[in-house]
Amino acid sequence: MRPSSDEFFLQMAELTATRGTCPRRQVGCVIINHHRHVIATGYNGTPRGFAHCTHEPCAGAHYPSGQGLEKCEAVHAEANALLQCKDVEEIHSLFCTASPCIHCTKLILNTSCKRIVFRHEYPHSDSENLWRRAGREWVHLGEKK
């Protein structure tokens, strides 16, 4: 059966997440333009030049997801994907395995992104309220069937 466009891009985000190097949670992100062309992908992991936490755990590696964030060295998947965009005004939709944290949501709000589609809710986040206040679409697709 042919998946919907949303499901297709979420599955791409799930594949992208497998490259994540944070032992707490692997997150993947896919960004598309209004033509439904992929313009960027990203996954969470340490900054360029740092050892991956899967090999040398950072101070935040053993905290539960959503806790000890100030000790975690990982750059979030959404931020890594945004860094790949040539023009953030081309962004139409962002697909992510987990809903964006408040910091990533603020970054995404400074783009032309109209929709965020995700599979899992981030452990603690006021992101949805902030996103909806801007009149943008927040879509939680939930677990695959």
Side-chain angles (χ1 to χ4, degrees):
M1 180 175 205
R2 185 171 191 231
S4 68
S5 292
D6 284 353
E7 186 60 40
F8 173 74
F9 291 117
L10 265 181
Q11 287 178 22
M12 287 182 71
E14 289 167 343
L15 177 61
T16 303
T18 65
R19 295 284 299 154
T21 61
C22 180
R24 293 158 38 134
R25 175 189 289 246
Q26 290 181 303
V27 178
C29 177
V30 171
I31 297 175
I32 65 168
N33 64 18
H34 71 280
H35 295 293
R36 294 189 186 151
H37 295 165
V38 174
I39 57 175
T41 62
Y43 53 86
N44 61 326
T46 55
R48 185 182 301 168
F50 281 60
H52 296 304
C53 286
T54 50
H55 296 106
E56 294 178 29
C58 72
H62 300 293
Y63 282 82
S65 183
Q67 296 180 22
L69 299 178
E70 70 285 354
K71 296 177 183 340
C72 179
E73 294 178 356
V75 177
H76 288 189
E78 303 92 330
N80 276 325
L82 287 172
L83 285 168
Q84 289 183 18
C85 289
K86 289 181 182 178
D87 182 357
V88 296
E89 296 306 314
E90 290 184 17
I91 298 171
H92 182 272
S93 299
L94 182 144
F95 296 84
C96 206
T97 56
S99 60
C101 72
I102 194 71
H103 303 291
C104 288
T105 300
K106 291 175 191 178
L107 290 174
I108 302 163
L109 279 166
N110 275 348
T111 75
S112 62
C113 186
K114 310 256 185 288
R115 305 175 70 231
I116 291 177
V117 182
F118 62 94
R119 182 83 70 205
H120 306 283
E121 190 75 45
Y122 191 68
H124 62 87
S125 180
D126 290 326
S127 300
E128 180 178 2
N129 292 335
L130 188 63
W131 188 257
R132 288 188 188 277
R133 275 185 34 215
R136 303 185 192 189
E137 191 177 356
W138 183 265
V139 182
H140 182 189
L141 283 190
E143 297 296 319
K144 287 188 281 188
K145 294 179 180 171

